[in-house]
Amino acid sequence: AEEIKTILGWRFDFHRFLISLPENKFIAWSKDIKNLIARGETHAKELEKNIGRFTHLGVLMPFVHHFLSRLRELLDRSKNRRSIKINQDCKDDLDLMLFFLAMAHDGIDLNYIAYLKPSHIYRSDSCPKGLGGYNHHGKAWRFLLPPNLLYRASNNLLEHLASIITPWIDIIDGELGNGDCSLSMTDSSTSEGWTRKTNFKEADFDDPEEAAVRREVARVHAKHFLSLGIKEYSQWFPGRYNIVSDALSRDDDRNDDELTQILKSCAPSQVPENLEIRPLPSEIVSWLTSLLQRLPVKEQLREKHKRTRLGRGTDGLNGVDPLESAMMSFSTSSAEANETSYSEPSPWLCVKDDFRDRMSTPWLRAQSEIPFHLWHRPSENTTGRILLGTKMASSADFYRASSELSKMTTRTQSNRKRSQLECSVKSPSAKRLRPNEQSANSL
């Protein structure tokens, strides 16, 4: 049997377990993109053709979708015009598409497009004065913003920065690489969405400078993960279960050793066995500082700093065992689903008491939930699960049951063509009266 086949426009190498963009497509698509950038202008049909190609590319690399919104907006503006100028943001996106094309041409591991169990779990958090995070091995970090960088970025952007810095540390240390699967967990739904969202519109952001920084962050993150062949998932979970990351970002009045001991005593279920707070690598500090310096200070972001209450009295002790709480749920369910008990975890989660599995429990439960469409029901039914199938009924029965009886009767018309003999016999003079008509006339 052949080990290399072309299927649906992709080249499958079953010997090396790779999927790649064929040579002819790579050459033609790269040439068209370079011509677009060089000319600096385009028209609707050309943009539509290239966006279709990029969407095809996004099947293999989901990161592509992050950078199509500006090109789609350009397409909308180009309609009913002979040509339109390509702005610098769109040129940067097109240039990034060349990087994606080169990666697709070299080949992507088939496991990258498969559904994988995360091998590395990360949690992060931020506040206006700092960022922090840790992984399931116990490697933690925190970065307290110096006074000259305060109140420049919104907390949503800081949360997003923290979520990509945490795995970046492992990349620098060589502990996250080809074939690994990363799960970034955050208590910010915005940050979680920005990791995988595909419908950004720059007009939706009031601050164009922050939008530009966010684009830069997304480009750096995409290049890191794609060039190393790392698969990524993201997951939101409630902030009250993110005690460790919250303390790393907020408690600026404690040194590393003191904070480590407090976390182990106040939130033992969330703390890895070998928790160690390390300084942020200089490479990331330099990059983060340069990004924040591009943003102006915003007085509306200024607020009073709040530290955690951990170890600051009895009120600071958390009485809930966040990771091991049996009844904890992280998603919205239907009325009947709320009655489901999680007191006994699935057997495949109980094979080994592994801290990584316990950290990823919210994500694992989210993947195993009943899909929403199974609970979607007609408006009249409010309880119970819908049937998996319904009995087929005839169209006549459907309309007979769905409409009221009409007082007017309609005569059924025959499509059969009548002969000349039938027409001569059924003349108006020969019309016979019905029995009820005859009795009526006799009266």
Side-chain angles (χ1 to χ4, degrees), residues 21-50:
L21 193 68
E23 182 78 15
N24 60 330
K25 287 188 175 182
F26 170 69
I27 295 175
W29 294 7
S30 299
K31 183 179 178 180
D32 289 348
I33 294 175
K34 291 176 181 178
N35 289 337
L36 273 175
I37 297 174
R39 290 201 319 266
E41 63 178 14
T42 184
H43 52 82
K45 288 186 177 180
E46 187 178 32
L47 267 177
E48 189 173 6
K49 177 184 68 175
N50 282 279

Side-chain angles (χ1 to χ4, degrees), residues 373-390:
H373 67 272
L374 292 181
W375 294 100
H376 189 269
R377 65 188 83 256
S379 59
E380 296 179 359
N381 300 330
T382 57
T383 60
R385 183 174 173 180
I386 66 171
L387 299 176
L388 296 179
T390 56

Side-chain angles (χ1 to χ4, degrees), residues 278-335:
R278 304 181 184 181
L280 198 61
S282 58
E283 175 184 347
I284 300 179
V285 172
S286 176
W287 174 78
L288 180 59
T289 301
S290 64
L291 279 181
L292 296 179
Q293 286 178 341
R294 292 164 53 180
L295 300 173
V297 176
K298 306 178 185 67
E299 290 300 323
Q300 64 268 27
L301 298 178
R302 192 181 299 273
E303 63 180 56
K304 184 179 180 180
H305 180 59
K306 297 180 181 179
R307 300 184 178 94
T308 66
R309 296 184 297 172
L310 293 176
R312 305 182 193 274
T314 55
D315 292 339
L317 296 179
N318 193 301
V320 179
D321 204 2
L323 280 178
E324 298 174 354
S325 177
M327 299 301 294
M328 183 172 61
S329 177
F330 293 90
S331 61
T332 303
S333 305
S334 67

Side-chain angles (χ1 to χ4, degrees), residues 61-232:
M61 294 177 290
F63 279 113
V64 171
H65 295 292
H66 285 270
F67 309 97
L68 292 183
S69 60
R70 287 169 293 278
L71 293 174
R72 289 194 175 105
E73 287 186 29
L74 187 66
L75 174 61
D76 291 338
R77 296 199 307 269
S78 67
K79 293 177 181 179
N80 301 323
R81 297 187 186 183
R82 290 186 177 181
S83 63
I84 189 170
K85 295 288 184 180
I86 303 176
N87 57 39
Q88 188 58 47
D89 290 335
C90 290
K91 287 182 179 179
D92 293 339
D93 290 338
L94 290 171
D95 188 64
L96 187 61
M97 294 301 159
L98 292 174
F99 170 79
F100 292 146
L101 281 175
M103 294 296 302
H105 178 250
D106 293 339
I108 302 293
D109 193 331
L110 282 172
N111 287 315
Y112 188 83
I113 62 175
Y115 194 78
L116 300 178
K117 182 179 179 181
S119 58
H120 294 69
I121 315 295
Y122 303 96
R123 287 187 173 182
S124 60
D125 203 354
S126 74
C127 73
K129 292 195 69 173
L131 305 86
Y134 67 107
N135 63 13
H136 72 276
H137 290 299
K139 185 190 299 182
W141 67 276
R142 59 174 177 167
F143 181 72
L144 303 176
L145 296 174
N148 64 314
L149 297 181
L150 291 175
Y151 315 121
R152 292 175 179 265
S154 66
N155 199 47
N156 284 334
L157 180 56
L158 291 176
E159 294 270 8
H160 188 50
L161 286 167
S163 68
I164 72 164
I165 286 175
T166 310
W168 190 359
I169 296 173
D170 274 0
I171 292 176
I172 293 175
D173 293 342
E175 298 177 4
L176 180 65
N178 187 33
D180 291 330
C181 182
S182 165
L183 171 61
S184 295
M185 304 183 68
T186 174
D187 56 17
S188 168
S189 58
T190 301
S191 174
E192 186 268 340
W194 283 357
T195 307
R196 56 177 173 78
K197 207 168 186 179
T198 61
N199 60 344
F200 283 129
K201 279 193 174 182
E202 303 307 323
D204 295 340
F205 292 87
D206 297 330
D207 189 348
E209 295 170 326
E210 185 162 309
V213 170
R214 196 194 70 255
R215 289 196 301 270
E216 177 65 23
V217 172
R219 290 190 180 103
V220 170
H221 184 57
K223 287 184 176 180
H224 283 160
F225 273 60
L226 278 176
S227 59
L228 294 175
I230 305 170
K231 188 175 180 65
E232 182 185 34

